[in-house]
């Protein structure tokens, strides 16, 4: 019996540690959990915030997509891919290219021609030098207002200290944030009937990737015979993978995998 790997891909403004509770939960159910960070990412969020990493600043969607495609291909047993935010976009891109056994996209940055609305706070103003690098930090207040808007101030401060990191300007431009021209890599093959199952998850109080955006993405898969499911969580924000309600989301994913016959151990 082989244990099924699960590769977790974190999103912008979060460190790979954002998956630490998920990794423990999935491992306790028998899965092999992997939380590979972005290229050049330091071991902790505080270290990233304290540095001005040129490697991290230069990361765009091309680099991230290729990085995780290489990781997914490296397994002898095709892994499940779980991504949040831009990680959810990448998860869809990979499963659409028949990489991975199944994919879960949580509050995913939109694919194809689905538009990303303006953020509620002025998190970033696009400029001519965006693809030349640089980092865009979030203040603790900005994180609470736009990212973790459904939790209290004390919890938001704890989450910020543990998980929040700056985001590369290049990546934000690639995602089409603040009206920037989106990268041609921000796509997924929504018509591939041979891919593995896909679960899309949204938080209905998400201000960065609103529920309406995820529903619009879900509709794009309507003509495919491949399995595509949607789960909406009421009263949840973009922080739904790290805040105090993370376990409800994680357990829904585990239940979905089981329903789809994707078990921790396979022959």
């Amino acid at each position: 019996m082989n244990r099924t790997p699960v590769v977790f891909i974190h999103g912008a403004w979060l460190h790979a540690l954002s998956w630490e509770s998920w990794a423990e939960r999935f491992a306790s159910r028998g899965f092999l959990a992997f939380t590979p960070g972005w290229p050049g990412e330091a071991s902790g969020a505080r270290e990233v915030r304290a540095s001005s990493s040129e490697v991290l600043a230069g990361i765009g969607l091309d680099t991230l997509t290729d990085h995780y495609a290489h990781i997914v291909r490296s397994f002898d047993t095709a892994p499940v891919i779980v991504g949040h935010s831009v990680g959810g976009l990448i998860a869809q891109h990979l499963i659409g290219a028949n990489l991975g056994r199944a994919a879960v996209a949580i509050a995913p940055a939109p694919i194809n021609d689905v538009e990303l609305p303006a953020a509620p706070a002025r998190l970033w103003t696009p400029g001519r030098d965006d693809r030349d690098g640089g980092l865009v930090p979030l203040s603790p207040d900005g994180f609470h207002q736009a990212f973790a808007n459904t939790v209290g101030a004390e919890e938001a401060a704890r989450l910020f200290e543990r998980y929040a990191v700056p985001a590369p300007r290049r990546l934000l431009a690639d995602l089409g944030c603040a009206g920037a021209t989106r990268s041609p890599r921000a796509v997924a093959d929504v018509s591939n009937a041979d891919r593995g199952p896909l679960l899309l998850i949204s938080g209905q109080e998400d201000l960065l990737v609103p529920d309406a955006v995820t529903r619009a993405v879900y509709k794009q898969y309507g003509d495919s015979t491949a399995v595509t499911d949607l789960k909406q969580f009421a009263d949840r924000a973009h922080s739904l993978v790290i805040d105090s309600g993370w376990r409800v989301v994680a357990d829904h994913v585990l239940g979905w995998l089981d329903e789809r016959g994707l078990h921790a151990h396979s022959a």
Side-chain angles (χ1 to χ4, degrees):
M1 300 288 286
N2 296 318
R3 294 176 65 190
T4 301
V6 181
V7 175
F8 294 93
I9 308 175
H10 71 84
W13 285 302
L14 287 183
H15 189 272
L17 282 174
S18 57
W19 292 117
E20 59 183 347
S21 296
W22 286 67
E24 183 178 351
R25 185 69 168 164
F26 274 65
S28 73
R29 297 294 186 90
F31 291 94
L32 285 173
F34 296 88
T35 60
W38 293 2
E41 185 174 82
S43 60
R46 181 178 297 180
E47 290 80 5
V48 176
R49 292 196 300 269
S51 71
S52 56
S53 171
E54 294 182 3
V55 174
L56 187 61
I59 287 178
L61 188 57
D62 283 354
T63 298
L64 281 185
T65 302
D66 293 344
H67 174 68
Y68 285 105
H70 175 75
I71 291 170
V72 169
R73 287 192 182 102
S74 70
F75 291 94
D76 294 331
T77 300
V80 173
I81 307 166
V82 179
H84 173 244
S85 192
V86 64
L89 186 160
I90 293 170
Q92 291 177 79
H93 178 86
L94 297 180
I95 198 69
N98 295 320
L99 295 178
R101 189 176 175 188
V104 179
I106 305 171
I111 58 169
N112 303 342
D113 59 352
V114 178
E115 294 186 1
L116 185 67
R122 187 178 287 275
L123 303 179
W124 166 66
T125 301
R128 290 181 298 176
D129 61 342
D130 290 331
R131 289 186 170 84
D132 294 329
L135 294 172
V136 179
L138 277 183
S139 69
D141 286 343
F143 179 83
H144 188 196
Q145 178 183 353
F147 203 103
N149 48 288
T150 58
V151 306
E154 184 176 343
E155 181 178 357
R158 290 197 306 270
L159 297 175
F160 178 90
E161 178 63 22
R162 181 67 176 168
Y163 302 122
V165 299
R169 294 180 67 91
R170 178 189 299 267
L171 178 61
L172 296 179
D174 284 349
L175 295 176
C177 295
T181 302
R182 200 183 308 187
S183 166
R185 292 292 291 275
V187 296
D189 184 351
V190 297
S191 61
N192 182 0
D194 298 322
R195 63 162 171 82
L198 170 65
L199 171 63
L200 300 169
I201 292 178
S202 67
Q204 293 185 314
E205 298 299 323
D206 192 329
L207 300 179
L208 292 182
V209 183
D211 171 67
V213 170
T214 306
R215 284 188 282 113
V217 169
Y218 175 65
K219 289 179 181 178
Q220 291 213 343
Y221 290 97
D223 292 333
S224 173
T225 56
V227 171
T228 309
D229 294 317
L230 172 67
K231 173 62 179 179
Q232 300 161 279
F233 284 93
D235 304 320
R236 302 304 301 277
H238 204 62
S239 61
L240 76 172
V241 297
I242 55 171
D243 61 35
S244 55
W246 71 267
R247 188 187 297 266
V248 175
V249 184
D251 284 353
H252 180 84
V253 173
L254 285 165
W256 178 82
L257 291 172
D258 189 61
E259 290 171 2
R260 292 301 176 187
L262 300 162
H263 306 299
H265 297 86
S266 59

